[in-house]
Amino acid sequence: MKVKYGAAALVILALATGTACVTPDSPAEQSLTTSSRTAPTPVPPKDYRYPTDVAGPYTVVWSAADGIDLHSRPAELARAYLESCQLSVYGRQAAYPGAMTAAPKPSVENRPSCLYAPKWPEPTFPALFGTMYANIAEIRVSDDEVSARGCYLRNGRAEVDTWEPQSAYLSAYEFSFTARLPPQTADPRADVRREAAPGPGTRAPQFDVFYPWKFDAVPWGARSSPQPPVSERPCTAWGAGMLDQIPAYRGQNPITPDGREAMLIPELDGPEGFPTLPQSPAWPSP
């Protein structure tokens, strides 16, 4: 598997919490701001469309642990967070409406948020087809706070131009976040019915799905708990179980007998091996 993703993309993909990207405080964007390039004009939420031209036609299929309603407002925030973070390497125009406002502002003390996408697309991150799978493992909710944790699997996607799989090894990662409701603020979507009727619905929200929630910053010094061996990680176990959903890898074991990652060999390529399933759940109309 050749490595050709740029620096911003590599940072995002390396952090399991999905909290990294190039920000205006970074040297990369500082150099861009001195050029003749013009920053993109924000797209009104109602005019937003999933950026197939740069990101490719891939979709996301969600599942959740028992007791978690994928259509609940907390789960909606989790779905929007991860999906928008995955699009952020393609620039601010690609991220979901409201993502930059909901993200913590960049600072030298905190890691950049993947919701605060770079102004310009990541030039070396390829467009993708196929399906990314994601699962919400845990949600904690209070009157003014939502915390979520889950996993996502990138093995169901391949590059549009080359049909090359996105990864040659199991690519199952954890994501997590905490979002807070500002004081004296009501969430206008708190009681909105979110289910898209059978058939309709869109690939991405055409409304500010984040408003008015604000996502916590993650300090540079913050460290997650020590990681167990790869074969014992919850997201690895979940991802290994999901491989049979991908025709290219059906029946393959991504873990060697001694507990290490095994190379995955696609038995089928193109849309046959990496089908693009319908977005699930689809995003309802505003």
Side-chain angles (χ1 to χ4, degrees):
M1 182 71 177
K2 59 183 179 294
V3 177
K4 59 181 180 180
Y5 299 159
L10 287 173
V11 174
I12 288 177
L13 298 176
L15 293 179
T17 56
T19 55
C21 68
V22 174
T23 74
D25 287 338
S26 70
E29 263 203 34
Q30 286 173 0
S31 64
L32 289 174
T33 57
T34 60
S35 73
S36 60
R37 298 180 69 177
T38 302
T41 302
V43 176
K46 66 181 179 58
D47 295 330
Y48 177 85
R49 298 294 184 275
Y50 169 73
T52 306
D53 55 336
V54 295
Y58 83 84
T59 57
V60 186
V61 170
W62 284 89
S63 59
D66 290 346
I68 296 177
D69 179 3
L70 281 175
H71 299 283
S72 66
R73 179 55 170 152
E76 184 179 71
L77 288 172
R79 292 190 286 116
Y81 174 84
L82 180 61
E83 291 183 21
S84 190
C85 281
Q86 289 291 297
L87 291 171
S88 67
V89 292
Y90 301 106
R92 285 185 192 161
Q93 297 295 87
Y96 286 172
M100 194 170 71
T101 302
K105 292 297 180 272
S107 72
V108 296
E109 292 86 13
N110 300 319
R111 299 178 186 176
S113 170
C114 61
L115 291 178
Y116 202 99
K119 289 181 182 177
W120 291 281
E122 169 62 40
T124 54
F125 198 89
L128 303 166
F129 68 89
T131 306
M132 186 177 82
Y133 295 90
N135 175 269
I136 303 175
E138 180 183 30
I139 288 182
R140 296 183 180 182
V141 181
S142 68
D143 289 342
D144 58 359
E145 181 179 316
V146 171
S147 295
R149 179 181 59 81
C151 306
Y152 62 100
L153 179 69
R154 298 189 297 128
N155 292 97
R157 301 187 295 190
E159 298 183 17
V160 168
D161 291 339
T162 65
W163 284 13
E164 182 182 0
Q166 190 177 9
S167 177
Y169 295 88
L170 184 70
S171 292
Y173 301 100
E174 180 176 317
F175 73 91
S176 62
F177 67 83
T178 297
R180 301 178 193 276
L181 198 62
Q184 323 240 316
T185 304
D187 182 353
R189 291 189 62 77
D191 299 313
V192 171
R193 183 176 178 81
R194 278 163 287 274
E195 293 89 336
T202 59
R203 164 63 179 83
Q206 293 172 250
F207 55 92
D208 186 343
V209 68
F210 300 104
Y211 179 82
W213 293 84
K214 303 291 185 182
F215 287 74
D216 279 6
V218 179
W220 280 111
R223 293 184 178 276
S224 58
S225 56
Q227 289 289 307
V230 63
S231 60
E232 298 175 15
R233 296 173 190 174
C235 287
T236 297
W238 169 80
M242 293 299 295
L243 272 187
D244 277 345
Q245 303 294 317
I246 306 166
Y249 301 124
R250 195 162 287 153
Q252 294 190 36
N253 188 343
I255 305 299
T256 65
D258 59 358
R260 290 187 287 184
E261 292 177 301
M263 180 174 284
L264 298 171
I265 309 297
E267 301 294 333
L268 296 169
D269 58 13
E272 236 191 316
F274 303 91
T276 302
L277 303 180
Q279 176 79 13
S280 178
W283 289 94
S285 300

